[in-house]
Amino acid sequence: MGYKVCLLIDDNYIDNFVTRRILEGSNFAEKVVVQQSATDAIQAIREGELKPDVIFLDLRMPLMDGFEFLQEYDKLKTEQKSAAKIFMLSSSLDPIDVKRSNQNKYITQFIHKPLTQKVLEDLNA
């Protein structure tokens, strides 16, 4: 596995609960941090409070969606970004969302919710 800090950004409490349990149960990362707001997450990264190795990012959220988060992420200084792997984790079935994710330089992979143990194993394969 090898990740130190995994950041989960999703406004849905139930999704966060389930995803966090899967991540912690698989020892995917030493620490799993949950942010229910992309705005709060980008602020924590900008201020140096968070330096995630890997990010699971929801697409559809109020105030700031996943793509808006990525626009703000792009503006961060290089040392703030820490070359984190970013996985778009979404229930969206819209092919445009998948295409935009695949074309984004920060997105490693688009993953359909829910995150499963099998998907995590495939990510580490």
Side-chain angles (χ1 to χ4, degrees):
M1 308 296 165
Y3 294 111
K4 289 200 178 298
V5 179
C6 174
L7 175 58
L8 173 59
I9 307 170
D10 194 328
D11 64 311
N12 186 304
Y13 177 81
I14 300 295
D15 287 348
N16 283 336
F17 179 80
V18 172
T19 304
R20 180 182 211 150
R21 293 284 303 254
I22 289 167
L23 290 167
E24 289 176 344
S26 67
N27 294 317
F28 187 76
E30 291 174 24
K31 181 178 179 184
V32 177
V33 177
V34 177
Q35 288 277 357
Q36 286 190 267
S37 157
T39 309
D40 292 347
I42 199 73
Q43 189 66 27
I45 294 170
R46 189 179 290 124
E47 293 175 1
E49 295 168 25
L50 266 176
K51 200 163 177 89
D53 302 286
V54 62
I55 299 171
F56 286 93
L57 176 63
D58 187 25
L59 179 56
R60 300 224 162 96
M61 295 178 282
L63 303 177
M64 180 185 284
D65 70 21
F67 290 117
E68 290 167 334
F69 170 88
L70 292 167
Q71 287 171 349
E72 291 303 309
Y73 187 81
D74 188 51
K75 296 175 189 174
L76 295 174
K77 295 179 186 129
T78 305
E79 62 272 12
Q80 292 171 313
K81 290 184 220 180
S82 71
K85 276 192 173 182
I86 302 177
F87 298 99
M88 187 68 82
L89 183 61
S90 178
S91 54
S92 173
L93 298 174
D94 186 337
I96 293 169
D97 289 339
V98 177
K99 185 177 180 183
R100 278 184 74 193
S101 293
N102 290 338
Q103 291 173 340
N104 188 288
K105 66 181 177 182
Y106 294 111
I107 303 284
T108 302
Q109 186 176 334
F110 186 98
I111 300 169
H112 287 285
K113 286 182 183 178
L115 184 66
T116 63
Q117 187 67 43
K118 170 88 174 83
V119 170
L120 278 184
E121 289 166 9
D122 291 347
L123 294 180
N124 286 313

